[in-house]
Amino acid sequence: MSLGDEEKYDKVVDLAMRRGFFWPSYEIYGGLAGFYDLGPLGALLKENIKNLWLDYFVFKHQDMVVLVETPVIAPEAVFKASGHLESFTDPIVACSKCNKIYRADHLLQDSLGVRTEGMHPEELNALIKEKGVRCPSCGGELGEVRTFNLLFQTNVGPYRHGTAYLRPEAAQGMFTSFKRVFTSMRYTLPVGIAQVGRVARNEISPRQGMVRLREFTIMEVEFFFDPEEPITPDFNRFQGRLKILTAESRRSGVEEPITVKPEEAVAEGIVLNPWLAYWMSVAQAFVKEIGLGEGEVVFEEKLPEERAHYSRQTFDQLVAISRWGWVEISGHAYRTDYDLSRHMQFSGEDMTVYRELREPKEAVVRRVVVDEAVLRESLGEEAVKVVNILKSFKADEAERMIKDGEVVVAGLRVPANALRVVEEVEVIRGRRFVPHVIEPSFGAERLVLVALDKAYTEEGGRVVLKLPPRIAPYKLAVFPLVTKDQLRSVARRIYEEAVRAGLTVIYDEDGSIGRRYARVDEIGVPFAVTVDYRTLDDGTVTVRLRDTREQVRVGIDDLIRWVANRFTGSQL
RNA sequence: GCGGCGGUCGUCCAGCCUGGUCUAGGACGCCGGCCUCCCAAGCCGGAGAUCCCGGGUUCGAAUCCCGGCCGCCGCACCA
């Protein structure tokens, strides 16, 4: 890990601001912590990263993953159900003397030995006053207990009950629309619902530049599957080994990750679910295209107390960048049936799915049969009152009554011979259950920063951004060698042709050719085309490669195809 | 949220301590022109800073004082 490489980080940030990748928002009003603008180049870079993500997580899996878009604002009920309202509100209290901040409930629980879980701030306040609790650090007086929630609150319409929140993750949109998507997908399982969108988290003190934002773009898949279905993912599709640092080894102080194939990690019980391991392998293949080799990515398993309330197992995908060291670029959580079950409970909507078994099963069931003729004989007209009650009896209950000889139901004596328990063979064709969920989730802005950090190099005092061509904001630069009209007009024509072909292109005739190469190197343009005098003779141009400065001659007619061929996976 | 340090053209830096000489200086970058047959060459010209914001002290504030905002570091917090 290249910790503490502050000089490089400063240069990356300087480049980002100077050339227009990103900068702090609202600068003219003094800025606002935790908010960043993406500039002309940053917006393109992020768009390319987003499209790359869509390619890996949606289009390469379009037999099972679909894309949706849901609102940023959600009503309070959603976050009550999701657990965010509860789990993100901490009661905190500050010492008025030394200003240390404590979790109020934890402080009281520790110092008084009473259970404070779930207490309201008023109760905690009262308790502090009553027992005279003071700051454990300096003995100073404690201030008022306040709550702090990471959700941004807002209001929908002019109504008092319109309390709503900005989503802190896209996931709830996928859960609340699950039934619709599932139906429109003709009940396929497994099914992934993907979304790219803005989220907001009211971080207490975000002070890591682009690493920790209060508003950012999340790229997320909620992948729904049948936990009992023995289908295994096709691990051959995204080959590679995963470096995994397990919770167990972290507990015992081991910081060295193990390297395993994803399927081995499942077989050995390191990763609890095959789909979790599968999507981790996809995540690794995806970031490889951003410039991160296999060896540079580590999946760190979160300790139980570090996990979110909904997760059974979580791996953070970490990469090392300058200045900040290991940063989390994605989280992979096994959310089980937590979310759908909660929404089922809170909304009253049935979130279960029905699946046919591969082979119908035969099962022996014991049923209660009521002999209505016998019943009428002994109870006459009143028989109707008890018949349904009797039918709802479990087989065991009925048998007990039969053994006792008679039974009193609804104040009526029912003879035992009115009941019989029969054994029947029933064919079971399917079952109902709440699907389980695996969630891979990426922060787009962090990937922008990581891509820049990885790509940043200096060669002989000049900056070369070695961005992979697929994500480079501009793919091609076109220059006339000198500003002579014949060269210019050819260069202009090439520029226009490249634009028509759908490439992002820079045309520049300002300054010396060397200066122009340097300018486009700095923003990561992978290929530069120079129209020179030889072009006028034989119709070829110089293509100069950013990373090697190598020059090759290419015919104008082949140029676009030549460039396009260097973007594997592009639609061109 | 607290404490320490900082905030001057796009960028980096000088000036601040010791108030006036600052209509704020330099370098790089940027823009226009000239020159130029391949890696930040040269020449000419130009734009660009209400010195972070607000208030105060003073005849006079980039400079001194107070408050705010933002950034960095530490503490605390952190799905």
Side-chain angles (χ1 to χ4, degrees):
Chain A
M1 152 168 57
S2 57
L3 252 180
D5 193 352
E6 302 217 358
E7 200 191 333
K8 181 183 175 190
Y9 177 78
D10 288 345
K11 284 175 172 175
V12 170
V13 171
D14 175 55
L15 171 71
M17 301 222 284
R18 229 167 4 89
R19 298 304 309 267
F21 283 95
F22 60 77
W23 52 75
S25 301
Y26 312 115
E27 278 180 306
I28 63 166
Y29 289 104
L32 186 61
F35 296 87
Y36 270 74
D37 290 352
L38 288 170
L41 295 174
L44 282 179
L45 177 56
K46 181 183 146 190
E47 187 69 10
N48 293 343
I49 289 174
K50 174 188 149 185
N51 286 331
L52 190 63
W53 182 88
L54 287 173
D55 185 26
Y56 271 78
F57 284 86
V58 182
F59 302 128
K60 284 190 195 324
H61 294 95
Q62 52 188 289
D63 52 335
M64 54 182 186
V65 180
V66 292
L67 187 64
V68 299
E69 203 167 310
T70 68
V72 168
I73 294 172
E76 187 160 46
V78 169
F79 297 115
K80 276 187 178 158
S82 72
H84 285 92
L85 267 181
E86 208 175 274
S87 301
F88 289 136
T89 311
D90 292 339
I92 53 176
V93 65
C95 169
S96 53
K97 198 170 142 204
C98 70
N99 295 308
K100 271 196 160 45
I101 291 180
Y102 301 94
R103 270 286 294 269
D105 51 346
H106 291 181
L107 177 68
L108 292 179
Q109 194 149 342
D110 292 347
S111 59
L112 302 175
V114 295
R115 286 194 62 81
T116 52
E117 215 173 285
M119 272 195 181
H120 289 286
E122 309 86 66
E123 300 174 78
L124 294 165
N125 261 329
L127 207 54
I128 289 173
K129 291 216 175 68
E130 189 193 321
K131 305 280 184 185
V133 179
R134 303 181 77 85
C135 172
S137 164
C138 75
E141 200 171 327
L142 295 171
E144 288 286 303
V145 175
R146 318 177 274 129
T147 54
F148 188 81
N149 193 305
L150 261 54
L151 294 174
F152 277 101
Q153 197 180 53
T154 185
N155 229 70
V156 175
Y159 309 107
R160 254 176 302 142
H161 301 296
T163 302
Y165 299 89
L166 275 62
R167 61 182 178 186
E169 56 172 10
Q172 297 311 321
M174 284 82 117
F175 296 130
T176 53
S177 65
F178 170 72
K179 284 188 71 173
R180 282 275 179 204
V181 177
F182 187 63
T183 332
S184 71
M185 289 289 290
R186 292 164 47 217
Y187 311 98
T188 5
L189 218 59
V191 65
I193 310 182
Q195 181 165 200
V196 177
R198 289 241 144 200
V199 299
R201 302 175 182 187
N202 201 1
E203 302 282 354
I204 295 175
S205 169
R207 283 187 303 182
Q208 296 166 68
M210 282 276 282
V211 174
R212 196 122 167 258
L213 299 175
R214 285 190 164 121
E215 187 188 322
F216 61 96
T217 303
I218 214 164
M219 306 189 291
E220 221 163 51
V221 178
E222 304 305 319
F223 187 76
F224 300 85
F225 62 95
D226 178 351
E228 287 175 28
E229 177 87 37
I231 283 184
T232 47
D234 180 5
F235 284 107
N236 289 322
R237 285 187 71 187
F238 299 93
Q239 288 184 340
R241 290 163 184 277
L242 306 177
K243 280 170 83 174
I244 296 178
L245 185 57
T246 64
E248 200 188 328
S249 57
R250 287 180 65 207
R251 271 258 187 266
S252 52
V254 180
E255 291 296 318
E256 199 49 47
I258 51 164
T259 305
V260 282
K261 286 184 170 177
E263 57 268 42
E264 291 166 359
V266 177
E268 290 170 29
I270 295 165
V271 177
L272 290 182
N273 182 278
W275 286 115
L276 181 54
Y278 176 75
W279 287 109
M280 282 158 70
S281 76
V282 178
Q284 180 158 289
F286 161 61
V287 300
K288 195 170 181 182
E289 298 238 22
I290 291 173
L292 295 156
E294 230 177 70
E296 298 182 89
V297 175
V298 174
F299 290 90
E300 181 186 72
E301 184 183 356
K302 303 321 290 178
L303 300 170
E305 61 270 26
E306 293 172 334
R307 290 200 300 257
H309 57 280
Y310 47 70
S311 175
R312 179 177 295 174
Q313 188 179 36
T314 299
F315 291 90
D316 279 352
Q317 186 182 20
L318 308 176
V319 300
I321 62 168
S322 65
R323 173 70 197 268
W324 305 114
W326 292 103
V327 301
E328 175 197 332
I329 52 168
S330 74
H332 298 260
Y334 182 14
R335 296 179 76 132
T336 68
D337 60 357
Y338 175 85
D339 298 275
L340 285 183
S341 295
R342 291 277 292 193
H343 283 300
M344 184 154 102
Q345 187 189 329
F346 279 70
S347 69
E349 286 282 333
D350 181 16
M351 295 289 184
T352 61
V353 305
Y354 175 80
R355 292 225 86 194
E356 260 179 30
L357 297 174
R358 311 194 130 200
E359 293 193 4
K361 271 196 305 201
E362 292 195 342
V364 178
V365 287
R366 301 195 306 148
R367 272 197 319 120
V368 179
V369 177
V370 180
D371 190 334
E372 295 189 27
V374 174
L375 211 55
R376 209 164 302 121
E377 203 173 289
S378 75
L379 296 177
E381 291 297 307
E382 306 222 71
V384 289
K385 289 185 183 168
V386 293
V387 65
N388 279 331
I389 301 176
L390 292 173
K391 277 183 179 168
S392 71
F393 278 6
K394 297 232 162 59
D396 291 349
E397 291 176 285
E399 270 175 343
R400 212 177 312 122
M401 291 190 301
I402 293 163
K403 214 160 64 194
D404 293 347
E406 65 172 25
V407 69
V408 177
V409 177
L412 296 168
R413 291 157 57 95
V414 178
N417 64 349
L419 287 178
R420 259 182 314 133
V421 173
V422 296
E423 292 198 343
E424 282 177 357
V425 174
E426 195 177 293
V427 179
I428 299 170
R429 301 190 174 279
R431 45 182 260 278
R432 296 213 143 259
F433 63 95
V434 178
H436 277 218
V437 171
I438 296 293
E439 174 199 73
S441 171
F442 283 84
E445 287 77 3
R446 274 193 195 180
L447 289 176
V448 167
L449 179 66
V450 167
L452 288 177
D453 189 73
K454 284 292 150 196
Y456 186 94
T457 57
E458 284 178 3
E459 283 171 12
R462 37 194 265 193
V463 175
V464 182
L465 250 198
K466 296 190 170 176
L467 288 170
R470 249 189 116 175
I471 61 169
Y474 284 93
K475 312 297 189 198
L476 187 65
V478 181
F479 309 139
L481 182 60
V482 294
T483 45
K484 293 273 185 281
D485 282 343
Q486 316 96 286
L487 300 184
R488 263 183 168 153
S489 63
V490 176
R492 242 7 254 196
R493 222 163 46 232
I494 292 173
Y495 165 80
E496 272 150 27
E497 201 187 318
V499 168
R500 262 201 306 280
L503 294 173
T504 43
V505 201
I506 287 172
Y507 176 84
D508 191 0
E509 55 177 44
D510 189 27
S512 72
I513 191 74
R515 187 191 278 302
R516 280 176 271 161
Y517 284 144
R519 268 199 291 254
V520 296
D521 280 349
E522 197 180 38
I523 61 169
V525 182
F527 308 109
V529 166
T530 299
V531 175
D532 50 32
Y533 289 103
R534 195 173 141 194
T535 308
L536 301 178
D537 293 338
D538 66 3
T540 63
V541 291
T542 301
V543 178
R544 181 263 196 187
L545 309 183
R546 175 195 66 196
D547 297 345
T548 58
R549 299 199 193 180
E550 186 191 339
Q551 301 197 341
V552 293
R553 298 293 303 186
V554 177
I556 292 180
D557 297 339
D558 299 327
L559 181 65
I560 301 298
R561 206 174 326 121
W562 189 94
V563 172
N565 281 344
R566 264 135 254 263
F567 298 85
T568 36
S570 96
Q571 298 90 326
L572 283 166

